[in-house]
Amino acid sequence: MINDPGPDRRYWDAVTSTADPADTSATARAMAPTRPLTRDGRGNKPISQLPYLPGLDGIRALAVLAVMVYHANSNWLPGGYLGVEVFFVISGYLITLLLIAEHERSGEVDLKQFWIRRFRRLLPALFVMMLLLTVYVALFERDQLGKLRGDVIAGTFYGSNFYQIWIGAGYSAGNDFAPLRHLWSLAVEEQFYLVWPLVMFAFLRVGSRRIAGIARWLFLAAVAITVIVALVSYGGPQQNPEFTPDAYWNIFGRSISKPDGLYLSTFSRAGGLLLGAGFAMIWRPAAVMRGPLRNKPGLFDLVALVGIIVLGVMTWFVAFQPDQGVGFLFQGGLFVTALATLAVIAAVTHSGANTGKILSLPVLVWIGTRSYGLYLYHWPIYQIIRNIAANKLRLHEFVLALVATCIITELSYRYIETPIRQGKLGELWKQRRAGITSRNPLTDVQRKRAFAATAVAALLGVFAIGSMATAELKQNDLALNLEEAKASTCDVLVDFDCDGVDDVDADGNPIAPVADSTATAEDDLTAVSDPAAQDVPVTTAEGDAVETEPTAAPDSTAPGTTAPPATARPGANRLSVGDSVMLGAAPQLGEIGFTVDAIESRAWVNGLDTIEQLGAQGRLPDELVIHLGTNGPIGQTNMDRMMAAVATVPKVVLLTNDVDRDYTAGNNELIFAAAAANDNVSVLDWNGLTTGCTGDCFEADGFHLKPAGKRYYADLIAGALSS
């Protein structure tokens, strides 16, 4: 990372290997006693040097374990993703302290060597992981190669976070096979490594002993970022742009999710990095141990305990669920996490405190020293097991993934990361060029095996990269199925008779039909789907009135709605309103006489708005099927509103939900209670009936429908209405 100082190599090996969550020292050296710190050219002991402290690897271990558990199943640790923020704070602290220490020691910072060591430490394992993954996808998931191409390119240049923001592939997007989604945090780190040394180069011109004054400005910058993020964030439940436009930025015609953008972008996540950097400027362990604070280890243990408790509470309660609203996370949650992390760092770097000793347990040090590999490999392994990002691992799958991750991580650490970081591969290459043979030369058999293995690996690599480069960019099967199903739906508030032609303009005003001088009265009657829906006459093109059976019409139009034309009632007087689960079965529902108004990501309240407007216009059908509740909690108030809106509908069927969400049980309870309290409402227990579907019924996420499931779904609804 920075040029080695020579005599105190152990210190520099340790510091350069713990300067970020991806950078750790060997376990053997980690547990060895620390040598005295070196002195600068004037004989003074630098106050910014930091001996290797295994307790920092202990913090890192807890953080990466939290992330791995969260990625496996967010129900187990809803806020485990905050472990990444812990990584950011540690990185800011150690990188800054490292740069200050080098400046104290030599009077300058060698930026070239800093970046070379960063790349040498991070890139080899990253490239190996992406190559292995590309080979796997080329062999077993070929339809995913096109999408993988963009992720690999973004990962290579450490731009994964902004790439994911742009294409809408953040953590809230769950229906894709996304084996490189976790690279966003490494992109934030590497962008910091590129820029921060340049900033520190300017800061250090004031002198490393006077740099403490800059810390307050970094703290204020972190506060400013927190305030800005809080102001621009969207706190409510996020649906698609049609329903919650305020939850998106519109950039060059593209809707960019605010929750995903704030979660992934370097600017919004810079607060933790800046707090760690500012803390390094005022909390230099060697200097602290010369002052009065050296006699207060108990105080720091208490501070660390508070920090650990805060982190534990945050990881348990602060979930990242945009469809329910992220709230506190962007209202100061990240800032609180960073402060709690600093509290633990303060204790770990105090040589007299017990916190560092507790966090130096061998198992934690082992995990911490391999945290980069664990983070790098665990997510692709998870994705291979569960197929799409939204699926949660079961316990036995998690154990299997954990074992595989640890094995691959250890192999990577021993045979890729450590040799390259220590320059052993370069030395071997120089020896070969100089004609120096190994002390333990390979036998002919071993040499042939090594050559064969290398040849096979090279061929696989060429095959995989070539396949990826030429692969067609394809949507996932679910996206394709839902796109096809949209042709069988309509927006009944805009297209009253579902003929594919809008009946209102952009302002909601009715569009008058164009008169056809050749039309007859019979033609016009045929064109009207239900002339009895309103107590108004139907006229021919010549202006002759045609008698109809009058029905009751609303006395007035509700505020904010427009009275529809006579062709108001949808379809054959059967209407189904739902979200993407119903959308998948729209063609099958159309076959049994339903007008289908189903939209992806639709929440209960969005469907409620549609039904209330239909009621205000007197356009509710005789038979209404509602399947909502997949995309967020319903709430008693919204259920009461729905029951009031459908009170005049003779037959209403509510479907329960079969989706792995923490609000599903509560939603289903509300549905059963509503049916029990209203004579015109019945329940189709989709949650309990899904197991009765035979064949290949569901997509990889477990709740969207495949063809067999679509037919089963429509048959159940038809049966519920005929009973």
Side-chain angles (χ1 to χ4, degrees), residues 312-600:
V313 170
M314 295 284 290
T315 56
W316 188 257
F317 290 106
V318 184
F320 181 67
Q321 297 174 318
D323 61 344
Q324 299 183 53
V326 293
F328 179 62
L329 176 65
F330 296 139
Q331 305 293 326
L334 293 173
F335 188 77
V336 172
T337 302
L339 292 181
T341 303
L342 291 180
V344 182
I345 291 175
V348 166
T349 54
H350 190 292
S351 61
N354 290 317
T355 303
K357 300 179 179 66
I358 295 173
L359 292 177
S360 298
L361 294 173
V363 64
L364 293 179
V365 171
W366 187 92
I367 295 171
T369 54
R370 290 153 179 79
S371 58
Y372 177 49
L374 291 170
Y375 184 82
L376 196 62
Y377 292 105
H378 85 281
W379 179 264
I381 291 172
Y382 285 8
Q383 294 307 96
I384 289 171
I385 291 175
R386 64 187 171 197
N387 192 254
I388 65 171
N391 287 346
K392 295 177 172 63
L393 294 182
R394 291 167 290 181
L395 182 59
H396 72 277
E397 292 174 328
F398 175 59
V399 172
L400 174 64
L402 201 60
V403 171
T405 299
C406 289
I407 292 173
I408 295 175
T409 295
E410 184 64 19
L411 292 173
S412 174
Y413 183 79
R414 291 193 180 197
Y415 300 112
I416 299 172
E417 300 168 52
T418 300
I420 292 177
R421 189 182 72 240
Q422 295 177 348
K424 290 183 178 179
L425 294 184
E427 293 175 3
L428 180 61
W429 176 251
K430 290 178 182 178
Q431 289 177 2
R432 290 296 175 88
R433 293 190 63 184
I436 301 174
T437 59
S438 172
R439 294 179 181 176
N440 299 302
L442 297 176
T443 65
D444 289 341
V445 173
Q446 290 173 327
R447 190 177 297 108
K448 290 178 180 179
R449 289 177 178 174
F451 177 80
T454 303
V456 170
L459 289 174
L460 281 175
V462 171
F463 162 74
I465 294 173
S467 298
M468 182 177 65
T470 58
E472 178 186 355
L473 181 61
K474 297 181 180 180
Q475 287 185 301
N476 60 62
D477 290 341
L478 174 58
L480 291 173
N481 290 337
L482 294 180
E483 190 64 32
E484 292 175 359
K486 288 179 182 179
S488 300
T489 69
C490 71
D491 181 349
V492 294
L493 295 179
V494 175
D495 183 4
F496 299 137
D497 49 8
C498 291
D499 62 354
V501 179
D502 289 351
D503 296 306
V504 298
D505 60 22
D507 297 323
N509 299 314
I511 300 174
V514 178
D516 183 354
S517 59
T518 63
T520 64
E522 182 178 353
D523 292 333
D524 280 349
L525 280 173
T526 303
V528 177
S529 63
D530 189 354
Q534 297 287 330
D535 189 10
V536 295
V538 178
T539 60
T540 67
E542 290 76 16
D544 298 325
V546 179
E547 293 293 328
T548 65
E549 290 293 331
T551 60
D555 295 333
S556 61
T557 301
T561 62
T562 304
T567 60
R569 299 183 80 176
N573 210 17
R574 276 185 161 185
L575 173 65
S576 60
V577 177
D579 50 37
S580 58
V581 177
M582 178 180 283
L583 171 60
Q588 289 75 18
L589 291 172
E591 293 173 4
I592 58 176
F594 272 96
T595 295
V596 182
D597 189 328
I599 306 174
E600 289 182 71

